[in-house]
Structure formats: C-alpha cells, structure tokens
Amino acid sequence: MNSKTPTLGIVCSEGTISLSLEEGFEFVGVPLSGEGLKLRVEALAPSERLQEFLDDEVAYHPEENVHKVVGLSSAWLELDSEDTLIADRSEEVLLKEASYASYCGLSSIILNGPTSPMNVMRYARAVSSALNSTMNLKFLVQLAIESGHEDYFETWKMWDTIRSACGYHPRLKVALELPPACSPPIELVNRWYAEPIEMITMSCMAFVPNPNGYPVLGRKLRAIYALYLRLNPRILLWDNDAPEKIGDSPDYSIYMKHLFDSQPPAPLVEDLADSYKDYLQVPLQPLSYNLENITYEIFERDPVKYAQYEQAIFSALMDRDESSVTRIAVVGAGRGPLVDCALRAAISSSRTVDMIALEKNPNAFSMLLMRNRQDWAGKVTLVFGDMRTWNPDYKIDILVSELLGSMGDNELSPECLDGVQHVLDEETGICIPSSYISYVTPIMSPKLWSEARNMNDPNAFERQYVVLMNSFDFLAADDEFRFQSLWSFHHPNKDSEVYTKNLHNKRFASVRFQASSPGILHGFAGYFEATLYKDISLSIMPATMEAKSPDMFSWFPIYMPIKKPMYVPENSQLEFHMWRLTDGMRVWFEWCANAYLVLRNGSQIKLSSTEVHNISGKAFSCNMY
Amino acid sequence: MNSKTPTLGIVCSEGTISLSLEEGFEFVGVPLSGEGLKLRVEALAPSERLQEFLDDEVAYHPEENVHKVVGLSSAWLELDSEDTLIADRSEEVLLKEASYASYCGLSSIILNGPTSPMNVMRYARAVSSALNSTMNLKFLVQLAIESGHEDYFETWKMWDTIRSACGYHPRLKVALELPPACSPPIELVNRWYAEPIEMITMSCMAFVPNPNGYPVLGRKLRAIYALYLRLNPRILLWDNDAPEKIGDSPDYSIYMKHLFDSQPPAPLVEDLADSYKDYLQVPLQPLSYNLENITYEIFERDPVKYAQYEQAIFSALMDRDESSVTRIAVVGAGRGPLVDCALRAAISSSRTVDMIALEKNPNAFSMLLMRNRQDWAGKVTLVFGDMRTWNPDYKIDILVSELLGSMGDNELSPECLDGVQHVLDEETGICIPSSYISYVTPIMSPKLWSEARNMNDPNAFERQYVVLMNSFDFLAADDEFRFQSLWSFHHPNKDSEVYTKNLHNKRFASVRFQASSPGILHGFAGYFEATLYKDISLSIMPATMEAKSPDMFSWFPIYMPIKKPMYVPENSQLEFHMWRLTDGMRVWFEWCANAYLVLRNGSQIKLSSTEVHNISGKAFSCNMY
C-alpha cells in the first residue's frame, strides 16, 4: 500500500461547497469570479482600469471551509493572446484574482495553461509577474498531459518554458489534466512524473459505466493515475461538461479510493523511508566520524544484505578444505551483524573458524564486548583500532567488510581495504566483497535540483547527495546503455602496486548516453554493484537490483547535481566525465557534462557544457584519516 | 591613433633576458623548467612523486627583471593525454610550475592548449585545478586562431569548453597564436576578438623580408594584428623555429610599432572615452535626479548631436510662414545648448522666434538665468518647473527636447513628452524629435557578462547597462536582419488616446535572429534611431549611425545581460522577447530569450530558454516622478 490516501476534490460553486464536502469530497475547486466580471471587462474602454471587483463579479467569499477551497481563475483569460489589449487585460484580471485569493486565505489558485506554443513567453511573463505579486499563493498551471498534436511533448515543452522563464519558482506547480481519450507514450508519462504535480484534474467524462452502472476509469487512465498516486497529488474532478452524469458524486469518490487501495504494494524501502523521499543527505564520513547507535540499528535491519553476506561467507567456507581452520576477520565490525553472519555460515558449512572482529569506534566496541560475552560465548577475538594499522602475528583467510557507499567506493572502501590487506594470507586469502563497480545515469529532477538550490549555499551544487529518489525521470533511453559503469575496484588489490599518496586509487571515466525524448538534465544518479564472493552480489543499480538483491534498502542512490539545468532536445547525447581524485589525505569526486545533438547524417553539434563541479574537492571531500 | 602602444616581447632563456630587453623588447617569455625535468619525469616509476625541482631542472630564477617576465610552462606537457599516467604527471608538473611561478613573483604563465577536442574536458579540469591551486597567477592558454582542420572553429570551441569548465575564471586568459599561413574567416576573427585575449603570439617565421630585407607581416596577418591591437594585448614573438633569421630583434620591434603607428585613427568616441570601454554604467534617472554640471558639460561637447538639432530646427522654421512669429520651447533645457541651436537656426532661417526654455533642475536653472543675462540679451522666457505640470496661457509651435536614452524611450522621453504635449498648438505644432525606434541585437561578450557577475549582486544580470562596448561580437549574421527594431514612439502622440496610468506607453516585441557561426549568447545590445525632423536624424544603431550621425558620442549602447550564458550552435536562431511595462508610477523593461536549431528540412528544435529578467522591475525601474 502507498503511504497516503489520495485527497479527492470536485469543482463546484460557492453555493454547493458544503454539499460537495458532505458527499465525501475532501476539497473543492471554486471559481473566484463570475460572468459579471467578464461582461464588464469586455465593455471596458482600453483607457479604463478594472479597479475593484463589483459585488456581482465575486463568485467566492471567505467562509468556514476556506482551507478546503482551491481557487479557479477565470477560464476566459487569454494571457497569451496575440491581441495586446486582451493579453494585458487578462494579466490584470489574473493579478486581481490572485490578490483576492490571497486575501481570502486560499493556498492555491488554478489557471489554464497557454493555448499554443506561439506566445508561451507572454504567458510565462504574466505568470511570473503574478508569482512576484503574491507572497504565499501557489499557482497551479493546468496542462493536458499530451498535446493532441503531432508533437506529443508540446504541452510538456510549454510547461518547461514557463518554469524556466519563472526561474523554477517554488510556488509554481502543475495541475495535470488527464483528458478522457488521452494515450500518452510512456516516455511522456514519465517526464511529467518528474514535475511538481500538485494536482491531477479529470473530467467526469473520463469515467465509463461498469456493468453495474458505476463510474470507472478505462485501463489507460487507470494506469497513469496509479503511477502518479506515488506523488501524492490531489485529485480534482469536474462534471459540468459531462453529457449525462453516470454516477453520483459519492460513486466517484468511493471508486477513486478503491483504485488507490487496490494498488500493488510499494517497494518495502518506500514504506520504511517515506519521509526520506527526495530528501538530500550528505554522505557519511565513516573514516573520520564515529557512527551513532541508531545508524547501526537502521542498517542492521536490512534483511537482504546480511543474507547475501552470510551466503557469500558460506560459499567461501565451502570452498575451503574441510579439515582446516579458517580465520575470518570482520573489519569494521560495528555492533557485530557480520560476525553473526560468519558464525551462522560456519555452522551451516560445518567448518571450523577462528573469528576475529575489529572495530575503531570505541562506542560500538563496547557493544561488541557485551555481545561476545552474551551471544558468542567469548569465542570471538576482539581487536580495537583502525584496520589500516592492525598488525596481527597471524594471517587472515577471509576478510569481511561492509564499507561500501552508494557508488561503491565513495565512502573509501578502497583505501580501507588497501590498508588492511597486508593481514591477508598472500596465497589463498580472499576479501568479501571482492569487487565493486560504480554506475551512473543522467536524470531529470526539478525537485532534487530545487532542493539543492534551496540550500542557499554556493557549494550545494558541487556535492554528492544520498537520496531516495522519487520525483525524477531517467533521461537516457530505456535500453542496456541507460546505466553505464565508471570504474571498479578489486580486493585484494594485486593488479597494481599500492602507491604512496593513494595514487593507484585515482580514477577517470567518460561515458555517453542517448536521450531520445526531450528533457532537462538536472544531474546524475550514481549506484553500485558489488560482488561479495563468486556469483553472490549486492546491487542498487536499477537494471540488476531485482535480480541480485531485491528489496535491499541499506543504500539510496547518489545524486550529483549540475549548477545550471541543461535543456536536452530530442535525439541528443549526454557525455559525462567523472574523476575520483586524491592527494593522499582526502578523496573527492569531480564531474562535468556536455550535450551534443546527433543529426541523421551522423554529424554532431555541440549544445552546451557545464563547468567542472567540486574542483579540487572544494565543496566536498572524504577525509582518509 | 589607438590609445596605447603595444607591448612587445620575445621568447628567450634566462641567460638572454637582459640582452632581449636591451634590444627593445619590453618583456620576455622564459621557460620555467629545462630538459632535466623532462628526463627525470620520464624516468620516474608510477609510484614515485616528483617532489621538489632539482637544480638542473629550474630554468628561471627570480631576478631584477622579474616584472617583465612571463613564465612558459613545459612544452612537453600533455594534460589531455589518453594515457592516464602521462596526463596525471603533466598535471603534477603544471601545478609545480604554477606554484614556482607564483613564488618567483611572475604574474602570468603560458601553457599550450589541448592537442585535440577528444579529451578537452581532461585538459580543462587540470587547468581548473591549477587555477584553484594559485591565488594571483594568470593562466594564458595558447591556442591557434584556427584549427587547420575542416572545422575552422575547432580551437575556439575547445577554448569555450575550457572556459565554461573553469566557470569563467577571471584569471583564465587566451594567448592567441597567429600561425604564419593562417587565413581564418572573418567570423572566427571576430569571435576571438570578444575573448579575453591577453596576448598575441607569433613565430618570427610569420614575417617575410620586404624589398629592403627587413621583416614584415603579410597582408592577412597585418589585418588581424591591426584589429586585435584595439584590445591592447601584449605581443610575444619567438624565433627558435625560424629556418633563417631574416632580421635582428630590433627590426621586429621597430616594425611592429611602426604597424601600430600606421593604423587609421580610432573612432573619436574611443579616443575620448577609453576608460569607459566595457565599463558597465547604470542608466541615468533624469526624472527623479538632478544631473550634475559635469554631466551636462560632457554631453554638450558632442559636435554632431547639436548640429543635427540646429539643422532640424532650421528646417522646421523654413517650413513656417516667413511673416509669422514662431514660438519655440526647449523643455528640459539644462544649461541651454538647444536654446543656442534654436537661436542660431532662427538667424540662419531669418525667422522671428519667441524663445522659451523650461528646466526643472534648480541648479541648471540658475545657469540659464546667467546665460539669458550674458548671452541671450534677456530675450529668452525662462520657466522653472516640471514640463508635465507646465500650463502656459499660450500654445507652442515647436517643442524641442533632448530626453532620449540609449534605446530611445528608456529614460522616459515618451512619458515626459506626453505630459507636455498639451502646450503644443493642436493643428500645426511639431515635436523635435518627432519619433524614435529601439533596436536590439544578440551579442557574445564574456567580458561584459563577467563584469556583471563580478558585481556579486543577484540583481546584476537583471539591469540594463550603458556601456561603450569593445570586447564583444555580434552573434546574428551580418545582413540586414542583424539589428531588429522593437518598437517606436511618435510625438505629438495623436495615434492613440493618452491613458491614465501610462498604459498606452506599454510595449511588447518579439524578434528573431539567425546565428550562422557557433558562439555564446551573453545578452543583447540595444540602440536607437531618432527622427528629429523630416529626414534629419540621430542614430547610434551601427547599421545607420555612419549615414545619419557619424562621430556622435553622446550615447553608448545598452547591454542587457542574461543570467546564464547560452551556447549557440551553428545555424541556430535566437528569439528575443522584450517588454516595456509601467504601473503608472514606474517604467521598467523585462526580457528573455530562446534558442532554436533549424535543421535543413526546416524543422526546428528548441535548445534552451532563459528566465524572464527583471520581472516586475524588481532589479531596475525608472521612476516617473
């Protein structure tokens, strides 16, 4: 089940507000002004000003249900009219209605979108002006999900122009209309999903009677509705255009909630972490900070991750000679979950193990002491200290760690394991995990980008964030190239010399993505795939997570913003460059992007390029010590 | 003559610095490190660090001429090598050389540009890293003016990518190389002209012997050199590649200065206003502020403007009945220059005039009182006050004003003249000027854009600036559509009713420009053309200024920035939208832009769009009172 029941509303007039609410609707859309205003405006001489609203022009007055009312601006406004007089007059009315809505205490006003792309900038300027004339009012631009013309994306492009023209104004939202017969391609449905959809609007004409005569939605609309429910929009119905009403108001209300209840359950992670959706977190610095108990507790709850670890240790033990004693060290043992895994694997594999647990966090270490006494019968050798300075007089057969960040190496697993691999048996010692790969993909997310901007910190766009992404869309075409690998690390690191100053852990990668539909680049999402042992893996990379470690929730992806959103036309290619850099004291990441248009003849035209983000690690770096 | 003689330098080694300076060169380019460094670097194991420079690796040591030395980074560096080891090592050397140059007290270091567009982002990141590792050192990237490949603009595009990647870093400059046989198209020469060219570099091989055996430049190079001289770059020569030296060092020095001296004189305005070049000034607010004496004095010096006014008044008087008395009013008379014009025109036309001068600035008015006593024999009727509240008991035949701003209407000439036209004879009264038109064109100017950014004011990109533009290039193709008119005003305003709240002076325009070559949009330049009377005009619009009012210097163009530079690929179109808005108390301008790519089949692809700048006049507006 999703986290929130949808809020359902209906368009009505001032006189029927109470009735609509009694019928089960939770809010109402009410026109702010009436026919009288239109007539007066039409009769005004060009030199005359509108002045105050007259009594018969006001269609809504503040009343007890004001917090359940959304204002509707006049449907006859033409902010983008070719006729300057009409456009100017429309803007004048909009500003007056917005001012009146604010006065009434309404929180939102809905306005019709532009009529065509021709004069969208005029429309956009008027909206921007209205936004700037008010303090708290949200402006919901009502736009049909698809244009009905040849270019399906036309209404989305208009929205994008308006949003850009208004500088990503935080009070500018979408009221997305789902017309009865709409049939948008999935790419378009997904683009809209990334937008600030505050409301879904539908005519009652979108409903058809089921065999019992009750109003239901057709298959396509039902699917779109179900997807958008994950954004928790309000649903606004109107029935004035319905040729014949097929149901009473309560029928719609009951059906829409039924639809909601019958959705398949959301992924476990969303249920657990609803409040984390689209919330930007700075990644942990486990090398220089000591984690708190609650952090350990949350991560230990992951049922999948530890099952995979146990399986990996089990397989590694099975590959060992039955008679030998296997020395297993868990480095960075925390409160001991991997020790539990290893001990269980020892039992199930009938192998004798010599168990060592090392931890540098003194607070967690005290917990290990207690667990050794209570749970492990004192059989675990506990070592306090940094794994990189650990010098036991014996060699380890299996080195187990859980140091991976959302992109694998970004919490300095490579540096830690390089520093401890001297304790490993040089011939037969193995590491779990044995390798990991970082993946990226370009994303569109006005939401995440705005979150970074709202930090009001010039460095905000030059950091990586851990975030449970919800309001976003992939820009790369949905094929095997959507997620591309940047680099990998292997342990123990036998491939190359371990250099001073950590130079062998520097990386550089440049990858290209194909964007078939128009969109906006707001940054890149980062993931990892790790091999624990042989074919036992962990993955948070969308293409493989279901197969490798379904329902694992320990890691959210990384979001790497770019400073300035970049418009991505149809058939363009995005190039992403990323560096993993180090000066021997710190590790940091830098990134930048280019866009190219690839023409049918194969020639390519440069479209734009970003600056290098986080140069020299100025905004964010991980301390090695 | 241009304002500054060029500074000429030569590449030499540490041992010949004094000699080169004695020979007449004003600065020298000296390699910072020698062959020894290259040999050691090549021999280093990957795990080894460079550490400190050894004695035989340092090719320059601080000495008495240090302020005349430009450092040359090692020519063998390959910051963009495909080989990560070579690229990393190159960056390491560059950072060390930059650090050493700073230590020596050098102000600039020259580094070779990238070898190909393939890995330009790697190159750019290394340079960005070097910029961030130093405090005051300028980095001059040496790039050939043309690529030598099919795409002439290739090196410019690489530069643009580097500059964008480095976030328009103020210490990142161009050392533009003019190869002996280069023959760049004029569009490319002009693009470079807009870039921060700190230095021009030329091999002595670029010179050919003249009949007397002295080294001279060929025609093409001479023309490019002459153009770039207006940017006051330093000129750096080197002769190590010359197969046979055709002249002694002093010969080059004498010739280059001779070339400079033989340039045609710069426009008068540049001579008068050199210190204003590329300096952003906020436009005057003559309606709410009283100008200072010095401002009047500067504007009165314009020989062309007042000659045109005198001619216009003369023509208007000639069109009047010889026997009648013509009542001329100069509104906003300042210190009286237009009164002088009118009195001279009266004499030359043998017409009798009744002369009135109105002024609202009490300080300027006291000057008018003195001039009436001393120069005009007390014959001028002086009126103190705002022209809009002037209510004489007679009607005016010719109303003369000089209220034009750089875009015509932007200093509220329309509002002032609307307010005073009631004093005009309704049948036969005329206004001088009788009309004016605003023009715009898209421009590329990293310099002007950076000037706005350096104000560190979030509103800086949302103001119009008056600026004598030098470092800029036109983005629109060089045809009759390069400059496009936005709107016009006519006086007396008989076309439309004069409305309350100034609504009749609102304007909106949308214009399109064709950009054939790649470039970057940094904003728009604005101009005006005015008709004083019949065919007597003033113009600062480049296409007509020579014909209509050559050498007039009273107005610099307007620069309207955009917040984010927009890359403009070849064959794209730029759409500009501008509004003149008013609320009856203030007048302000808003603007925004879109870019489209137009394909051969005529279809158009949206590339990007800006936000609406100066919405609701939030950053800049003109007070009407």
Side-chain angles (χ1 to χ4, degrees), chain A residues 8-13 20 25 27-31 72 75 110 112 142-145 175-180 199-207 217 221 234-247 249 252 256:
Chain A
L8 201 64
I10 188 123
V11 170
C12 67
S13 65
S20 298
F25 291 104
F27 76 100
V28 287
V30 182
L72 306 181
I110 301 177
N112 284 342
Q142 186 166 22
L143 289 157
I145 188 168
L176 192 67
E177 189 194 335
L178 303 184
M199 192 174 278
I200 299 284
T201 71
M202 272 188 276
S203 158
C204 290
M205 284 177 72
F207 293 79
L217 289 175
L221 274 187
R234 293 197 276 181
I235 320 293
L236 181 64
L237 305 178
W238 72 90
D239 64 4
N240 50 336
D241 285 334
E244 45 178 328
K245 211 169 155 182
I246 55 168
S249 295
Y252 296 104
M256 294 302 276

Side-chain angles (χ1 to χ4, degrees), chain B residues 480-499:
Chain B
E480 70 264 47
F481 306 111
R482 174 175 277 184
F483 303 95
Q484 297 206 31
S485 63
L486 292 175
W487 49 62
S488 63
F489 288 88
H490 297 265
H491 301 287
N493 179 7
K494 291 176 177 168
D495 300 345
S496 69
E497 214 174 329
V498 172
Y499 302 149

Side-chain angles (χ1 to χ4, degrees), chain A residues 16 39 86 120 139 197 201 324 355 397 460 514 520 530 588 616:
Chain A
T16 54
L39 296 174
I86 295 176
V120 65
F139 287 75
I197 298 181
T201 71
S324 69
M355 191 73 221
D397 298 307
Q514 176 70 44
I520 327 216
W588 67 93
S616 307

Side-chain angles (χ1 to χ4, degrees), chain A residues 43-182:
Chain A
L44 280 179
S47 68
E48 288 178 291
R49 305 302 290 153
L50 189 55
Q51 309 294 354
E52 74 282 4
F53 286 143
L54 304 180
D55 190 34
D56 70 334
E57 295 168 356
V58 179
Y60 175 75
H61 300 81
E63 37 71 70
E64 56 184 354
N65 294 305
V66 64
H67 58 287
K68 293 178 180 166
V69 174
V70 172
L72 306 181
S73 80
S74 289
W76 46 268
L77 300 186
E78 291 177 60
L79 297 167
D80 59 344
S81 173
E82 281 280 346
D83 182 328
T84 302
L85 207 61
I86 295 176
D88 285 355
R89 197 61 89 188
S90 296
E91 183 181 341
E92 193 185 351
V93 173
L94 175 63
L95 262 67
K96 284 223 179 289
E97 290 183 334
S99 163
Y100 184 72
S102 292
Y103 158 77
C104 290
L106 304 188
S107 60
S108 310
I109 185 170
I110 301 177
L111 54 157
N112 284 342
T115 52
S116 87
M118 274 298 293
N119 296 307
V120 65
M121 291 311 278
R122 295 192 76 156
Y123 180 93
R125 201 208 58 79
V127 174
S128 186
S129 162
L131 280 162
N132 276 275
S133 74
T134 49
M135 294 293 288
N136 299 307
L137 194 66
K138 284 184 200 171
F139 287 75
L140 279 57
V141 178
Q142 186 166 22
L143 289 157
I145 188 168
E146 63 181 5
S147 67
H149 304 310
E150 195 188 348
D151 179 5
Y152 278 109
F153 280 77
E154 190 180 274
T155 52
W156 176 80
K157 285 180 188 169
M158 288 196 289
W159 159 251
D160 174 56
T161 301
I162 297 164
R163 169 253 306 287
S164 301
C166 295
Y168 283 69
H169 199 291
R171 285 187 281 111
L172 181 67
K173 308 283 183 182
V174 175
L176 192 67
E177 189 194 335
L178 303 184
C182 73

